[in-house]
């Protein structure tokens, strides 16, 4: 079979490009309508005062000034930062620990399975279950009282920052299993040759993990950490299920604050400003983190 002449290929190129653009057009139009136009409209609303009725009133930077000066809005930013740090330490750390401890042992998959089951539960359901455990005179308080252990008088969901910490633990209970699954896949993909060579050189335990396993897990770790950062910045369902941002507004995150300002308070302008801030923070965090990881990979 002979290849078509070059003149025929050049003659057909405009027709092929037209066909390609025709096939891509619906996806491009859908992306613009569903993603970019709402974002531009939200950006416009963030500079207005709007309650959902009538025409938006242009107020300039007032919503952004309120966002950075109001104590409750600052509190939601602090809580979101706690979620980012806590999510990196607990779900990612626990997932890695579970994967390493169950890797290479007989029936390791079955040891990871109980940690994976909570991931099938919705965030709201996780919040409801943990709120039963942590409410005043709930299961945890009764257990500590029965065992005469300290902490029985703690107000788990009422005092800040304890309420945010307990919700992060609840999120870790739900998310550690899927991280363990991802790290488990990464551990299984590590070639046996370098591991055997390191073992012959006397490496084992912590040294094996520090100098052989961990560097080979770095690409997967970048994915897991990146997903965790993005997920923690969008935290909403567990907080809504456990405290609804209370008491008062002590445990609100930026995402929950945005929802309340928009749909409860009818302050669409401030809600839009919070949405823009959250989008910018998420994009910056993702870009900075991925650039650092890619630059490290190039150095290796």
């Amino acid at each position: 079979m002979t290849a078509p002449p070059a003149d025929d290929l050049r003659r057909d190129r405009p027709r092929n490009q037209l066909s390609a653009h025709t096939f891509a057009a619906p996806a491009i139009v859908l992306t613009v309508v569903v993603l970019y136009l709402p974002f531009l409209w939200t950006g416009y609303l963030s500079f207005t005062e709007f309650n959902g009725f009538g025409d938006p009133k242009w107020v300039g930077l007032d919503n952004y000034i309120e966002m950075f000066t109001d104590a409750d809005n600052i509190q939601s930013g602090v809580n979101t930062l706690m979620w980012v740090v806590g999510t990196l330490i607990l779900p990612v750390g626990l997932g890695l620990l579970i994967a390493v401890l169950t890797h290479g042992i007989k029936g390791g998959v079955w040891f990871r399975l109980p940690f994976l089951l909570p991931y099938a539960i919705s965030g709201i359901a996780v919040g409801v279950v943990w709120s039963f455990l942590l409410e005043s005179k709930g299961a945890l308080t009764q257990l500590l009282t029965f065992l005469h252990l300290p902490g029985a008088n703690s107000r788990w969901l009422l005092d800040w920052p304890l309420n945010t910490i307990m919700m992060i633990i609840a999120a870790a209970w739900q998310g550690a299993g899927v991280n363990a699954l991802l790290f488990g896949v990464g551990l299984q993909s590590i070639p046996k040759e370098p591991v055997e060579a390191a073992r012959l050189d006397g490496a084992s335990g912590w040294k094996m993990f520090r100098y052989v396993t961990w560097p080979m897990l770095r690409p997967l770790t970048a994915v897991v950490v990146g997903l965790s950062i993005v997920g923690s910045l969008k935290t909403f369902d567990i907080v809504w299920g456990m405290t609804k941002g209370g008491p008062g507004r002590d445990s609100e995150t930026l995402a929950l604050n945005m929802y309340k300002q928009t749909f409860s308070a009818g302050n669409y302008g401030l809600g839009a400003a919070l949405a823009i801030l959250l989008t910018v923070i998420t994009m910056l965090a993702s870009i900075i983190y991925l650039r650092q990881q890619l630059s490290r990979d190039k150095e290796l």
Side-chain angles (χ1 to χ4, degrees):
M1 184 176 180
T2 58
D7 291 342
D8 291 347
L9 292 176
R10 281 195 292 271
R11 188 170 54 251
D12 293 339
R13 183 174 300 169
R15 190 192 312 166
N16 294 335
Q17 289 181 344
L18 179 62
S19 299
H21 293 159
T22 302
F23 281 114
I28 295 173
V29 171
L30 186 64
T31 302
V32 170
V33 172
V34 175
L35 184 61
Y36 292 109
L37 289 182
F39 181 77
L40 293 175
W41 175 247
T42 302
Y44 167 70
L45 283 182
S46 69
F47 295 100
T48 67
E49 181 182 346
F50 184 52
N51 61 6
F53 299 97
D55 296 326
K57 178 184 175 183
W58 184 266
V59 294
L61 294 174
D62 287 359
N63 290 322
Y64 289 94
I65 294 173
E66 180 180 353
M67 187 171 60
F68 288 111
T69 55
D70 182 76
D72 291 328
N73 293 328
I74 295 173
Q75 178 69 36
S76 66
V78 172
N79 289 334
T80 303
L81 181 60
M82 289 178 63
W83 271 94
V84 173
V85 176
T87 301
L88 290 179
I89 295 174
L90 289 180
V92 176
L94 282 176
L96 179 62
L97 182 64
I98 294 168
V100 171
L101 292 179
T102 58
H103 177 65
I105 64 174
K106 188 176 181 181
V109 176
W110 297 104
F111 286 109
R112 289 195 292 270
L113 185 60
F115 297 99
L116 189 60
L117 292 178
Y119 191 69
I121 306 173
S122 70
I124 290 291
V126 171
V128 172
V129 170
W130 277 78
S131 63
F132 287 143
L133 295 174
L134 300 175
E135 64 184 2
S136 300
K137 298 182 181 178
L140 180 58
T141 298
Q142 292 184 26
L143 178 63
L144 294 175
T145 303
F146 177 77
L147 298 175
H148 301 287
L149 294 175
N153 296 324
S154 298
R155 306 195 315 165
W156 305 105
L157 298 179
L158 297 177
D159 294 333
W160 186 88
L162 181 61
N163 49 13
T164 297
I165 293 172
M166 298 310 294
M167 287 189 287
I168 293 172
I169 293 174
W173 176 76
Q174 183 190 28
V178 71
N179 290 334
L181 177 67
L182 293 173
F183 281 122
V185 172
L187 289 170
Q188 290 175 353
S189 66
I190 294 177
K192 293 182 180 179
E193 291 78 7
V195 177
E196 293 297 332
R199 189 168 289 137
L200 290 175
D201 290 339
S204 62
W206 170 249
K207 285 187 177 180
M208 176 71 80
F209 177 79
R210 170 68 178 83
Y211 296 106
V212 179
T213 306
W214 177 247
M216 293 187 178
L217 275 179
R218 179 172 292 172
L220 184 68
T221 305
V223 175
V224 174
V225 172
L227 292 175
S228 297
I229 291 175
V230 173
S232 60
L233 288 170
K234 297 187 299 182
T235 299
F236 177 90
D237 46 7
I238 289 182
V239 180
W240 184 258
M242 293 182 72
T243 66
K244 289 184 170 55
R249 298 178 60 184
D250 281 354
S251 61
E252 279 185 358
T253 59
L254 283 174
L256 187 56
N257 188 12
M258 174 190 66
Y259 173 82
K260 282 187 171 180
Q261 291 294 340
T262 305
F263 299 108
S264 299
N267 191 348
Y268 283 68
L270 182 56
L274 287 163
I276 294 296
L277 173 68
L278 195 54
T279 303
V280 171
I281 291 175
T282 304
M283 290 179 62
L284 285 177
S286 302
I287 292 171
I288 292 172
Y289 176 73
L290 289 176
R291 285 192 64 179
Q292 286 184 340
Q293 291 300 318
L294 291 174
S295 62
R296 285 183 183 178
D297 291 342
K298 288 180 180 178
E299 292 173 359
L300 294 176

